Amino acid sequence: MARIGRLTRYVPRAILSRRQQDSIRQRARSDRDSTSGRGEGRTKTEEGHGSWRAALSKLIEGSATAIGSIFVLGLAGYSYHIYYKIHVLRKMENAFAVGFSSLELSALSRHIDPKDSHSKLLEEGEFDDSDWVPRDEQAIIDGIVDGSIQGQYHLITGEKGTGKTSMLLKAMRKIGGEGVAMFEAHGDPEIFRIRLGKALDFEFHEDYVGSLFSFKGPRDTTALLDIERACNKMEKVAIKRKEKVGKPLVLIITGSHLVRSDSDGNDLLELIQQRAELWAASNLVTVVFNSDDYWTTERLMWQATRLRITPVRDIPRDTAIKALKQFRKTTFQEDTPQHILEAVYDKIGGRLRFLSRVAKSPDMISTCNVICEREKRWLLTKCWILGKDMDPGAEEQQDVCSAAMVLAKVLLDKEKTMRENGTYDGRLPQIPLHKAREIMTNPEWIKSHDHDNIFTIDSEGMVQADSVAMYGAMREVCSEEGFEELLQDTLDRLDEIESLHRTRELTLKDLGTGGQYQASVRKTGDKQVEMLVNLKVV
């Protein structure tokens, strides 16, 4: 065809007929159409292959982007998780470094002048309220706090105001708070958890932001599980410290008696005691309980293996009188007569909080009288009896009050007998705990009186008045005219109310119209007795 086309260029149009020319044009047109058809087919095939390749390329690109984003997000989340764990341990290590936490500073601040800065607490110095009285227990507590006494956990027990917390704070101040954390217990486990976290600088994952990386934080739990987690973290810190320093950490829990004596409180003490036993065996952490009440001792002794009890009692007579005389000479430049010092001790005894108040007073005898009067009012507020006119609704409260007065009278009678026999040594009379429960007829009542600072139970299970001032208030109340009659009337009224609770009333309606009832009474026991009773109107 190309050849014919070339020939037509040189053949004159006049030579070719019109029919030939039309035939040539038609063939040329058909050739062009066939050529363009083949081109369009090739273009459509190429376009099909191109669109498939573009879709595959976009799919690969999107998948790579998604996988990369997930990888970067996961890497960032994992890196943050690792960083957070390291950060938590670092913060807890700082909590046991030299210095004091805010809780410790608030406790230590009561022993410095209000005008002084808290930086003074890092300096070696004396406490204002108790350093003038030498204490034999201070050396033991110093050894516990500085870590030289190992392999045990400790319960420091004694009455309120004997100086337990002051000696612990003094021991902490001597070492600058290094390796020591201290906080006060509470009856609510949630508040206990918060205070423990504050002492250890542990947030219980409340500052964890892993949720931004779709990681759920472990905070959705109970207070006991949070405390367990805090103990796990502290254990890791203690292992590192033992490798570096060779001494255990010290965790001091003051006010342990504030934990409630119920199922939650028992679970909390059991958790801490289990850790304390394990840490004492491995010399990792020394746990120190500080308690005013006997129930803590009773609860911990149940499964104690390495527990050491350190009782802190009132200051002995000779030590207290000598220290008081020296303090008055140093502070007021006076030479206090011996009979005045003897009279002070006879009124308030060797209770440190009373001695500190009296020693700083210009008139010591008047201050002693104020203290004794306050103790008497407290005794009457908590334990006064109501006599024969008692309302039945006061039965439960008066049961506890009358039992306290009966026990006080027993102690006074024992002192009188000891004086008559010449065996009285000047100390408060005591009776065993089981005898006190027998006198009160209810084992729980003595616990409430111990908690209210009416009576106290020492670590040996002996019961006595809470203090010399409280014992003087008991003596004064029980020696009042008409007290024994009032006590007996109260006991009789309580028996009457109790018998009324046990009495059942029967109402018989038809006897007035000539009706008659027949009752059969049968007693069973060693001898069986049957009795027939007829009831009718006479």
Side-chain angles (χ1 to χ4, degrees):
M1 294 302 301
R3 189 173 179 179
I4 296 173
R6 286 195 299 267
L7 290 175
T8 56
R9 296 178 187 174
Y10 303 102
V11 177
R13 292 185 177 181
I15 299 175
L16 297 176
S17 64
R18 182 176 300 270
R19 182 179 297 177
Q20 290 176 343
Q21 292 179 3
D22 293 339
S23 176
I24 292 171
R25 292 190 188 98
Q26 186 175 0
R27 290 177 182 177
R29 191 180 299 113
S30 62
D31 290 341
R32 286 196 301 268
D33 292 342
S34 62
T35 304
S36 63
R38 289 194 298 268
E40 288 178 359
R42 288 195 299 270
T43 303
K44 288 180 180 181
T45 303
E46 292 176 357
E47 287 180 356
H49 288 295
S51 62
W52 180 81
R53 291 173 182 172
L56 181 60
S57 174
K58 290 181 180 180
L59 177 62
I60 295 174
E61 181 180 358
S63 300
T65 303
I67 294 173
S69 300
I70 294 174
F71 176 76
V72 171
L73 183 62
L75 180 63
Y78 181 75
S79 302
Y80 171 77
H81 188 70
I82 298 300
Y83 160 77
Y84 182 80
K85 287 187 174 181
I86 298 173
H87 179 63
V88 167
L89 294 178
R90 187 185 301 117
K91 285 172 56 180
M92 194 170 289
E93 289 176 358
N94 292 335
F96 287 98
V98 177
F100 304 102
S101 66
S102 58
L103 294 175
E104 297 164 353
L105 286 176
S106 62
L108 286 164
S109 297
R110 59 182 177 176
H111 298 293
I112 62 174
D113 193 291
K115 299 179 182 179
D116 293 336
S117 172
H118 287 102
S119 60
K120 188 177 179 180
L121 294 171
L122 296 175
E123 303 174 1
E124 184 73 22
E126 295 184 349
F127 282 5
D128 295 335
D129 63 343
S130 62
D131 264 10
W132 57 277
V133 183
R135 305 301 301 269
D136 297 334
E137 300 88 354
Q138 186 65 58
I140 299 175
I141 294 179
D142 288 346
I144 294 172
V145 174
D146 64 20
S148 58
I149 299 178
Q150 302 180 13
Q152 297 171 325
Y153 65 103
H154 303 267
L155 172 62
I156 301 176
T157 182
E159 298 82 12
K160 177 183 177 182
T162 52
K164 304 183 295 299
T165 305
S166 296
M167 287 190 287
L168 286 170
L169 293 173
K170 182 180 179 181
M172 288 179 58
R173 192 178 177 187
K174 287 181 180 179
I175 61 175
E178 182 184 6
V180 182
M182 185 186 74
F183 69 100
E184 187 172 10
H186 194 274
D188 189 344
E190 283 290 342
I191 299 179
F192 188 99
R193 175 189 74 85
I194 292 174
R195 291 181 178 179
L196 174 62
K198 186 71 174 178
L200 302 180
D201 199 8
F202 182 55
E203 299 293 339
F204 300 102
H205 299 279
E206 291 175 352
D207 57 345
Y208 185 78
V209 294
S211 57
L212 297 178
F213 306 101
S214 299
F215 293 165
K216 184 180 180 181
R219 176 59 194 95
D220 300 331
T221 180
T222 63
L224 288 181
L225 289 177
D226 272 346
I227 295 172
E228 178 71 13
R229 288 194 179 100
C231 291
N232 292 336
K233 296 294 183 182
M234 185 169 61
E235 195 172 80
K236 295 180 180 179
V237 175
I239 292 174
K240 290 183 179 180
R241 175 180 171 82
K242 185 180 179 181
E243 294 175 353
K244 294 180 180 179
V245 182
K247 290 184 178 182
L249 299 175
V250 180
L251 179 64
I252 301 174
I253 306 174
T254 62
S256 301
H257 59 280
L258 298 175
V259 177
R260 298 190 184 101
S261 181
D262 55 13
S263 59
D264 291 339
N266 289 333
D267 291 342
L268 177 58
L269 281 182
E270 183 179 2
L271 186 153
I272 298 176
Q273 186 178 16
Q274 287 177 342
R275 288 287 185 162
E277 289 278 353
L278 176 62
W279 291 336
S282 55
N283 292 329
L284 289 178
V285 182
T286 300
V287 180
V288 181
F289 298 94
N290 181 13
S291 176
D292 295 349
D293 293 350
Y294 176 75
W295 91 266
T296 309
T297 305
E298 195 174 45
R299 179 62 182 80
L300 293 177
M301 285 296 294
W302 173 46
Q303 52 183 0
T305 302
R306 296 178 176 270
L307 176 65
R308 176 179 177 180
I309 300 177
T310 304
V312 179
R313 298 189 173 95
D314 289 345
I315 303 170
R317 187 182 191 90
D318 295 339
T319 304
I321 290 177
K322 182 179 179 181
L324 185 59
K325 184 179 181 67
Q326 182 63 33
F327 183 85
R328 298 292 293 188
K329 184 176 181 180
T330 303
T331 306
F332 296 96
Q333 290 77 41
E334 69 176 24
D335 188 10
T336 308
Q338 185 69 18
H339 71 277
I340 297 293
L341 299 175
E342 296 280 352
V344 168
Y345 194 88
D346 290 338
K347 286 180 175 293
I348 63 172
R351 187 59 52 88
L352 181 60
R353 66 186 178 110
F354 295 156
L355 288 174
S356 298
R357 181 178 175 185
V358 170
K360 300 173 185 178
S361 173
D363 190 349
M364 292 193 293
I365 299 298
S366 298
T367 305
C368 289
N369 293 332
V370 171
I371 292 174
C372 292
E373 183 63 26
R374 187 180 63 182
E375 292 295 296
K376 180 181 178 181
R377 288 198 301 268
W378 178 251
L379 173 64
L380 296 177
T381 300
K382 302 299 292 186
C383 299
W384 187 235
I385 49 182
L386 302 180
K388 62 182 179 181
D389 297 327
M390 179 202 318
D391 186 270
E395 178 189 8
E396 184 177 352
Q397 189 261 352
Q398 282 297 292
D399 277 333
V400 181
C401 294
S402 60
M405 289 301 177
V406 170
L407 183 57
K409 193 171 182 299
V410 170
L411 291 175
L412 291 169
D413 292 341
K414 183 176 182 179
E415 179 194 358
K416 183 179 179 181
T417 302
M418 293 172 64
R419 288 183 183 276
E420 292 174 354
N421 297 334
T423 58
Y424 184 68
D425 56 0
R427 294 183 296 179
L428 295 177
Q430 297 178 329
I431 60 174
L433 177 59
H434 70 279
K435 284 293 183 182
R437 287 172 171 170
E438 179 183 342
I439 293 169
M440 288 189 165
T441 70
N442 190 318
E444 297 298 325
W445 292 346
I446 188 64
K447 287 185 179 181
S448 64
H449 292 307
D450 182 25
H451 185 73
D452 292 335
N453 300 322
I454 304 298
F455 298 99
T456 185
I457 311 171
D458 63 16
S459 58
E460 302 297 330
M462 300 298 291
V463 180
Q464 66 179 34
D466 184 74
S467 64
V468 172
M470 180 58 70
Y471 187 68
M474 292 178 182
R475 182 189 295 112
E476 186 176 346
V477 170
C478 294
S479 61
E480 291 179 356
E481 185 179 356
F483 172 77
E484 293 189 5
E485 290 79 6
L486 180 63
L487 178 59
Q488 189 60 47
D489 290 342
T490 303
L491 295 176
D492 293 341
R493 177 59 175 163
L494 287 172
D495 292 339
E496 180 183 348
I497 295 174
E498 186 177 358
S499 65
L500 289 174
H501 288 290
R502 296 176 179 177
T503 303
R504 297 295 181 265
E505 181 179 349
L506 296 177
T507 303
L508 305 177
K509 298 181 178 180
D510 299 332
L511 290 177
T513 60
Q516 185 176 353
Y517 286 87
Q518 186 178 21
S520 178
V521 180
R522 176 178 297 177
K523 295 182 179 180
T524 59
D526 295 338
K527 295 182 180 180
Q528 294 186 0
V529 179
E530 294 188 3
M531 184 169 42
L532 189 63
V533 180
N534 293 322
L535 303 176
K536 63 181 180 178
V537 178
V538 181

